[in-house]
């Protein structure tokens, strides 16, 4: 587990495995970035990812405070993509800690773990309007995939778990630099 | 993570399933509802899991730098005997917690909470199965006169009241206990498993990472429902009150602290290379982590009550209320507090001292009893465990019983049944034709300092 391998650095930010006690810190980051307090959403998501594979969800910690997180997992056989794939769904970095390569370090931890789990490719889906996010993902090595995301709005259907993110769709609170 | 899965020999596998039918009947619900509560997640597997790719070199202790050991006989008598006691105690906790959870599982108000705990129980069964793999796949005859069959039989025969560690000898009073136990006692389990990941005996070290990954969910199955309960309490539509949660914390937290073993102990574990921390250090980290959990829950409460508060304002409000009393409509009793580590202790350095939840000292047992009556769940006060504790405390305070002797007296709610309850003549392990192993009666309970 990378939580053992990656310890504190001179920048005092360490990367470790997600735990249930990180919910408050993640809620706080989300709130700072979006202005919306939604603990119930993050309780569900953290519960889900801890069950699936907490090691695929690193958090960045500085002085005992969560300052960044990235949620990912391994899937295979979905959308006709037979190879084992690592999917990044959600991530965020505290505005006070942006510009310190925390996003990159979280991403590297994710890649290392998912490789170990047999993933041969990383995938994610990005909002076309979010240039900043796309730019970060390109900077860490993502390229356009020969796939197109399609959707069909269903009139009258509820939005469901607002803000919880669709499986496999990377999203982050707006206004941040990873 | 690369894991190898193993199944126990048939007679042991069947014994576990036989035990499950008697003590964990709800287990059969899990596959039926798995897709509903855990969609697209790998199905539960009752098997032993061994992590592949762990280092071959001992990380701590007298043999640091030497190759990890693969057989009990390589460890030397002292070390092997010590590790065997740890494995048996750990096995006892796994089966013990299922017996505790099962009693109140059906009382969960929320089906999701119920199925989360059900999954926790199934994974505890797997952890017990894992420990049986440790006991039955190697030859422990150099340190134990018991055969593998007898060790398994003994553990499966334990009931709430006869397990090795005190925390597993207390009945649950309500579903609040299921959840608080997961948040408080399983957290001790996480520490023990983390420490044992360095174990100089490789098969035991290899057992830890898969168990730890499952244990992470067990903690979430405690903390997330607690967060929802305090939120509902703050909004005035609770059925689970903050007071009920607080009292459950008072019941379990002292037992959790004691699971680390005596504050001055743990040196052997480090010396033998079984764990990387002594008892006091691990216990101290655990205490801090529990404090963080309580702080998060209080923050959740305050912000549910006053959504306009920022996280910082909520934190300040919590501190002020805990320090000065009621502020902005929030009273100290509305919030949760971690009890003083000396509160209600029966083992370890502060055992049998009359210290209250907030560190206050009491002069007499009767005065202390009044305090306990206000701080512990009412149903628990009526338990045999409490009457035994109070009786023993009176003897210690009167000077007729030494504290060390008193600590050894706990637990003593002997309920070991050596036979399967479905028949007086059938044991948990059914021998295959041609095998002649005859289990001996269960050995007396042994308390293993620092072992879980």
């Amino acid at each position: 587990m990378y939580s053992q391998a990656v310890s504190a650095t001179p920048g005092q930010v360490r990367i470790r495995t997600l735990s249930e006690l990180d919910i408050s810190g993640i809620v706080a980051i989300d709130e700072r970035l979006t202005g919306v307090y939604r603990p119930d959403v993050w309780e569900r998501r953290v519960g889900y990812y801890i069950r699936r594979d907490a090691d695929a969800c690193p958090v960045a910690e500085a002085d005992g405070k969560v300052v960044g997180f990235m949620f990912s997992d391994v899937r295979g056989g979905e959308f006709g993509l037979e190879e084992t794939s690592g999917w990044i769904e959600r991530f965020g970095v505290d505005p006070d800690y942006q510009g310190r390569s925390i996003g990159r370090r979280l991403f590297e931890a994710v890649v290392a773990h998912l490789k170990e789990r047999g993933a041969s490719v990383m995938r994610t889906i990005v909002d076309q309007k979010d240039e900043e996010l796309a730019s970060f993902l390109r900077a860490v090595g993502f390229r356009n995939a020969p796939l197109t995301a399609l959707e069909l709005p269903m009139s009258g259907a509820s939005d469901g778990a607002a803000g919880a993110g669709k499986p496999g769709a990377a999203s982050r609170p707006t206004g941040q630099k990873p | 993570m690369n894991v190898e899965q193993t199944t126990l020999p048939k007679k042991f596998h069947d014994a576990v399933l036989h035990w499950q039918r008697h003590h964990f009947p709800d287990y059969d619900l899990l596959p039926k509802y798995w897709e509903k509560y855990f969609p697209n997640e790998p199905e539960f597997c009752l098997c032993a899991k061994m992590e592949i790719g762990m280092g071959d070199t001992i990380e701590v202790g007298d043999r640091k730098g030497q190759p990890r050991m693969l057989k009990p006989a390589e460890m030397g008598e002292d070390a092997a005997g010590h590790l065997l006691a740890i494995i048996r105690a750990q096995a006892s906790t796994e089966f013990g917690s299922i017996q505790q959870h099962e009693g109140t599982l059906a009382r969960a108000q929320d089906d999701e909470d119920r199925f989360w705990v059900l999954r926790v129980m199934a994974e505890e069964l797997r952890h017990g199965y894992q420990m049986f793999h440790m006991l039955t796949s190697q030859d422990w005859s150099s340190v134990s006169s018991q055969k593998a069959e007898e060790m398994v039989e003994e553990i499966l025969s334990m009931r709430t009241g006869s397990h090795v560690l005190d925390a597993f000898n207390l009945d649950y009073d309500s579903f609040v206990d299921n959840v608080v136990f997961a948040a408080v006692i399983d957290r001790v389990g996480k520490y023990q498993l983390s420490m044992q990941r360095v174990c100089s005996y490789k098969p035991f070290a290899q057992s830890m990472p898969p168990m730890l990954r499952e244990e992470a969910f067990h903690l979430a199955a405690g903390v997330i429902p607690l967060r929802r309960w305090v939120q509902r309490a703050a909004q005035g539509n609770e059925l689970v009150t903050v007071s009920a949660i607080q009292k459950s914390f008072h019941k379990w937290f002292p037992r959790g602290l004691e699971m680390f073993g005596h504050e001055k102990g743990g040196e052997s574990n480090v010396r033998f290379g079984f764990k990387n921390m002594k008892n006091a250090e691990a216990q101290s980290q655990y205490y801090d982590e529990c404090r963080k959990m309580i702080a998060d829950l209080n923050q959740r409460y305050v912000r549910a009550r006053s959504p306009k508060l920022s996280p910082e304002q909520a934190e300040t409000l919590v501190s002020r209320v805990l320090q000065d009393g009621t502020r902005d409509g929030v009273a100290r009793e509305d919030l949760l507090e971690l009890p003083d580590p000396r509160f209600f202790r029966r083992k370890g350095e502060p055992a049998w001292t009359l210290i209250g939840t907030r560190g206050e000292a009491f002069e007499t047992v009767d005065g202390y009893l009044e305090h306990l009556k206000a701080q512990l769940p009412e149903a628990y006060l009526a338990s045999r465990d409490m009457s035994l504790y109070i009786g023993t405390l009176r003897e210690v305070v009167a000077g007729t019983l030494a504290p060390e002797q008193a600590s050894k007296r706990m637990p003593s709610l002997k309920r070991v049944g050596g036979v399967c309850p479905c028949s007086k003549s059938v044991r948990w392990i059914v021998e295959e034709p041609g095998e002649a192993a005859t289990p001996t009666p269960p050995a007396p309970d042994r308390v293993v300092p620092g072992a879980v």
Side-chain angles (χ1 to χ4, degrees), chain B residues 170-173 177 247 250-251 343-344 346 368-391:
Chain B
L170 306 179
D171 285 313
Y172 290 2
D173 304 317
D177 280 340
K247 287 179 176 179
H250 289 160
K251 174 180 173 181
F343 168 70
F344 193 37
R346 51 184 75 171
Y368 194 52
L369 181 55
E370 284 307 306
H371 178 69
L372 293 179
K373 280 158 75 176
Q375 301 298 334
L376 291 167
E378 204 167 333
Y380 176 52
L381 290 169
S383 70
R384 187 171 172 79
D385 181 71
M386 272 305 289
S387 66
L388 179 68
Y389 166 76
I390 290 297

Coordinates of all heavy atoms in Angstrom, one line a residue, chain B residues 170-173 177 247 250-251 343-344 346 368-391:
Chain B
L170 N -19.3 -8.7 26.0 CA -20.4 -7.9 26.4 C -21.5 -8.0 25.4 O -21.2 -7.9 24.2 CB -20.0 -6.4 26.5 CG -18.8 -6.1 27.4 CD1 -18.4 -4.6 27.3 CD2 -19.0 -6.5 28.8
D171 N -22.7 -8.2 25.8 CA -23.8 -8.3 24.9 C -24.1 -6.9 24.4 O -23.9 -5.9 25.1 CB -25.1 -8.9 25.6 CG -24.9 -10.4 25.8 OD1 -24.6 -11.0 24.8 OD2 -25.2 -10.8 26.9
Y172 N -24.7 -6.8 23.2 CA -25.2 -5.5 22.7 C -26.6 -5.2 23.3 O -27.3 -6.2 23.5 CB -25.3 -5.5 21.2 CG -24.1 -5.6 20.4 CD1 -22.8 -5.6 21.0 CD2 -24.1 -5.5 19.0 CE1 -21.7 -5.6 20.2 CE2 -23.0 -5.6 18.2 CZ -21.7 -5.6 18.9 OH -20.6 -5.7 18.1
D173 N -26.8 -4.0 23.6 CA -28.1 -3.6 24.2 C -29.1 -3.2 23.1 O -30.3 -3.2 23.3 CB -28.0 -2.5 25.2 CG -27.0 -2.9 26.3 OD1 -27.1 -4.0 26.8 OD2 -26.1 -2.0 26.7
D177 N -25.2 -0.2 19.7 CA -24.0 -0.9 20.0 C -23.3 -1.5 18.8 O -22.1 -1.5 18.7 CB -24.3 -2.0 21.0 CG -24.4 -1.5 22.5 OD1 -23.9 -0.4 22.7 OD2 -24.9 -2.2 23.3
K247 N -23.5 7.3 25.7 CA -23.5 6.2 26.7 C -22.9 4.9 26.1 O -22.2 4.2 26.8 CB -24.9 5.9 27.3 CG -25.3 7.0 28.2 CD -26.7 6.8 28.7 CE -27.1 7.9 29.8 NZ -28.5 7.7 30.3
H250 N -19.3 5.3 26.2 CA -18.7 5.1 27.5 C -18.6 3.6 27.8 O -17.8 3.1 28.6 CB -19.7 5.7 28.6 CG -19.6 7.2 28.6 ND1 -20.5 8.0 29.1 CD2 -18.6 8.1 28.1 CE1 -20.2 9.3 29.0 NE2 -19.0 9.3 28.4
K251 N -19.5 2.8 27.2 CA -19.5 1.4 27.4 C -18.3 0.7 26.7 O -17.6 -0.1 27.3 CB -20.8 0.8 26.9 CG -20.9 -0.8 27.0 CD -22.2 -1.2 26.4 CE -22.3 -2.8 26.2 NZ -23.6 -3.2 25.7
F343 N -11.3 6.3 32.7 CA -12.7 6.0 33.1 C -13.0 4.6 32.9 O -12.7 4.0 31.9 CB -13.6 6.9 32.2 CG -15.1 6.5 32.3 CD1 -15.8 6.7 33.5 CD2 -15.7 5.9 31.2 CE1 -17.1 6.4 33.5 CE2 -17.0 5.6 31.3 CZ -17.8 5.8 32.4
F344 N -13.6 4.0 34.0 CA -14.3 2.6 33.9 C -13.3 1.6 33.4 O -13.6 0.7 32.7 CB -15.5 2.8 32.9 CG -16.4 1.6 33.0 CD1 -16.7 0.9 34.2 CD2 -17.0 1.2 31.8 CE1 -17.6 -0.1 34.2 CE2 -17.9 0.1 31.8 CZ -18.2 -0.6 33.0
R346 N -10.7 -1.6 33.9 CA -10.5 -2.8 34.8 C -9.2 -3.5 34.5 O -8.9 -4.5 35.1 CB -11.7 -3.7 34.6 CG -12.0 -4.0 33.2 CD -13.2 -4.9 33.0 NE -14.5 -4.1 33.2 CZ -15.7 -4.6 32.9 NH1 -15.8 -5.8 32.4 NH2 -16.8 -3.9 33.1
Y368 N -19.1 6.6 42.9 CA -18.7 6.2 41.6 C -19.8 5.5 40.8 O -20.1 5.7 39.7 CB -17.4 5.4 41.6 CG -16.7 5.2 40.3 CD1 -16.4 6.3 39.5 CD2 -16.4 4.0 39.7 CE1 -15.8 6.2 38.3 CE2 -15.8 3.8 38.5 CZ -15.4 5.0 37.8 OH -14.8 4.9 36.6
L369 N -20.5 4.6 41.6 CA -21.6 3.9 41.0 C -22.7 4.8 40.5 O -23.3 4.6 39.4 CB -22.1 2.9 42.0 CG -23.3 2.0 41.6 CD1 -23.0 1.2 40.3 CD2 -23.7 1.0 42.7
E370 N -23.0 5.9 41.3 CA -24.0 6.8 40.9 C -23.6 7.5 39.6 O -24.4 7.7 38.7 CB -24.1 7.9 42.0 CG -25.0 7.5 43.2 CD -26.3 6.9 42.8 OE1 -27.1 7.6 42.1 OE2 -26.6 5.8 43.2
H371 N -22.3 7.8 39.5 CA -21.7 8.4 38.2 C -21.9 7.4 37.1 O -22.4 7.8 36.0 CB -20.3 8.7 38.4 CG -19.6 9.3 37.2 ND1 -19.9 10.6 36.7 CD2 -18.7 8.8 36.4 CE1 -19.2 10.8 35.6 NE2 -18.4 9.8 35.4
L372 N -21.6 6.2 37.3 CA -21.7 5.2 36.2 C -23.1 5.0 35.8 O -23.4 4.8 34.6 CB -21.1 3.8 36.7 CG -19.6 3.7 36.9 CD1 -19.2 2.3 37.4 CD2 -18.8 4.1 35.7
K373 N -24.0 5.1 36.8 CA -25.5 4.9 36.4 C -25.9 6.0 35.5 O -26.8 5.8 34.7 CB -26.3 4.9 37.7 CG -26.2 3.5 38.4 CD -26.6 3.6 39.9 CE -28.0 3.8 40.1 NZ -28.3 3.7 41.6
A374 N -25.3 7.2 35.7 CA -25.7 8.3 34.8 C -25.0 8.3 33.4 O -25.5 8.9 32.5 CB -25.4 9.6 35.5
Q375 N -23.9 7.5 33.3 CA -23.1 7.6 32.1 C -23.1 6.4 31.2 O -22.6 6.4 30.1 CB -21.6 7.8 32.6 CG -21.4 9.1 33.3 CD -21.7 10.4 32.6 OE1 -21.7 10.4 31.3 NE2 -22.1 11.4 33.2
L376 N -23.7 5.3 31.7 CA -23.7 4.1 30.9 C -25.1 3.7 30.5 O -26.1 4.1 31.1 CB -23.1 2.9 31.8 CG -21.6 3.0 32.0 CD1 -21.2 2.0 33.1 CD2 -20.8 2.8 30.8
P377 N -25.3 2.9 29.4 CA -26.6 2.6 29.0 C -27.4 1.8 30.1 O -26.8 1.0 30.7 CB -26.3 1.7 27.8 CG -25.0 2.0 27.3 CD -24.2 2.4 28.6
E378 N -28.6 2.2 30.2 CA -29.4 1.6 31.3 C -29.5 0.0 31.2 O -29.3 -0.6 32.2 CB -30.9 2.1 31.2 CG -31.6 2.1 32.5 CD -32.8 2.9 32.5 OE1 -32.9 3.9 31.7 OE2 -33.7 2.6 33.3
A379 N -29.6 -0.5 30.0 CA -29.7 -1.9 29.8 C -28.4 -2.6 30.2 O -28.4 -3.7 30.8 CB -30.1 -2.3 28.4
Y380 N -27.3 -1.9 30.0 CA -26.0 -2.5 30.3 C -25.8 -2.5 31.8 O -25.2 -3.4 32.4 CB -24.9 -1.7 29.6 CG -23.5 -2.1 30.0 CD1 -23.1 -3.4 29.9 CD2 -22.6 -1.1 30.5 CE1 -21.8 -3.8 30.3 CE2 -21.3 -1.5 30.8 CZ -20.9 -2.8 30.7 OH -19.6 -3.2 31.1
L381 N -26.4 -1.5 32.5 CA -26.3 -1.4 34.0 C -26.9 -2.7 34.6 O -26.4 -3.1 35.7 CB -27.0 -0.2 34.5 CG -26.3 1.2 34.2 CD1 -27.2 2.3 34.6 CD2 -25.0 1.3 35.0
A382 N -27.9 -3.2 33.9 CA -28.6 -4.4 34.5 C -27.9 -5.7 34.1 O -28.4 -6.8 34.4 CB -30.0 -4.4 33.9
S383 N -26.7 -5.6 33.5 CA -26.0 -6.8 33.0 C -25.2 -7.5 34.1 O -24.8 -6.9 35.1 CB -25.1 -6.4 31.8 OG -24.0 -5.7 32.3
R384 N -24.9 -8.7 33.9 CA -24.1 -9.5 34.8 C -22.6 -8.9 34.8 O -22.0 -8.9 35.9 CB -24.0 -11.0 34.3 CG -23.3 -11.9 35.2 CD -23.5 -13.3 34.8 NE -22.7 -14.2 35.6 CZ -23.1 -14.6 36.8 NH1 -24.2 -14.2 37.3 NH2 -22.3 -15.5 37.5
D385 N -22.2 -8.4 33.7 CA -20.9 -7.8 33.6 C -20.7 -6.7 34.6 O -19.7 -6.5 35.3 CB -20.6 -7.3 32.2 CG -19.2 -6.7 32.1 OD1 -18.2 -7.5 32.1 OD2 -19.1 -5.5 32.0
M386 N -21.8 -5.8 34.7 CA -21.7 -4.7 35.6 C -21.7 -5.2 37.1 O -21.0 -4.6 37.9 CB -22.9 -3.8 35.3 CG -22.7 -2.7 34.3 SD -21.2 -1.7 34.6 CE -21.7 -0.7 36.0
S387 N -22.5 -6.1 37.4 CA -22.6 -6.6 38.8 C -21.3 -7.2 39.2 O -20.8 -7.0 40.3 CB -23.8 -7.5 39.0 OG -23.5 -8.7 38.3
L388 N -20.7 -7.9 38.2 CA -19.3 -8.5 38.5 C -18.3 -7.4 38.7 O -17.5 -7.4 39.6 CB -18.9 -9.4 37.4 CG -17.6 -10.1 37.5 CD1 -17.6 -11.1 38.6 CD2 -17.2 -10.8 36.2
Y389 N -18.4 -6.4 37.8 CA -17.4 -5.3 37.9 C -17.5 -4.6 39.3 O -16.5 -4.3 40.0 CB -17.6 -4.3 36.8 CG -16.9 -3.0 36.9 CD1 -15.6 -2.9 36.7 CD2 -17.6 -1.8 37.4 CE1 -14.9 -1.6 36.9 CE2 -17.0 -0.6 37.6 CZ -15.6 -0.5 37.3 OH -15.0 0.7 37.6
I390 N -18.8 -4.2 39.6 CA -19.0 -3.5 40.9 C -18.6 -4.3 42.1 O -17.9 -3.8 43.0 CB -20.5 -3.0 41.0 CG1 -20.8 -1.9 39.9 CG2 -20.8 -2.5 42.4 CD1 -20.0 -0.7 40.1
G391 N -18.9 -5.6 42.1 CA -18.5 -6.4 43.2 C -17.0 -6.5 43.3 O -16.5 -6.4 44.5

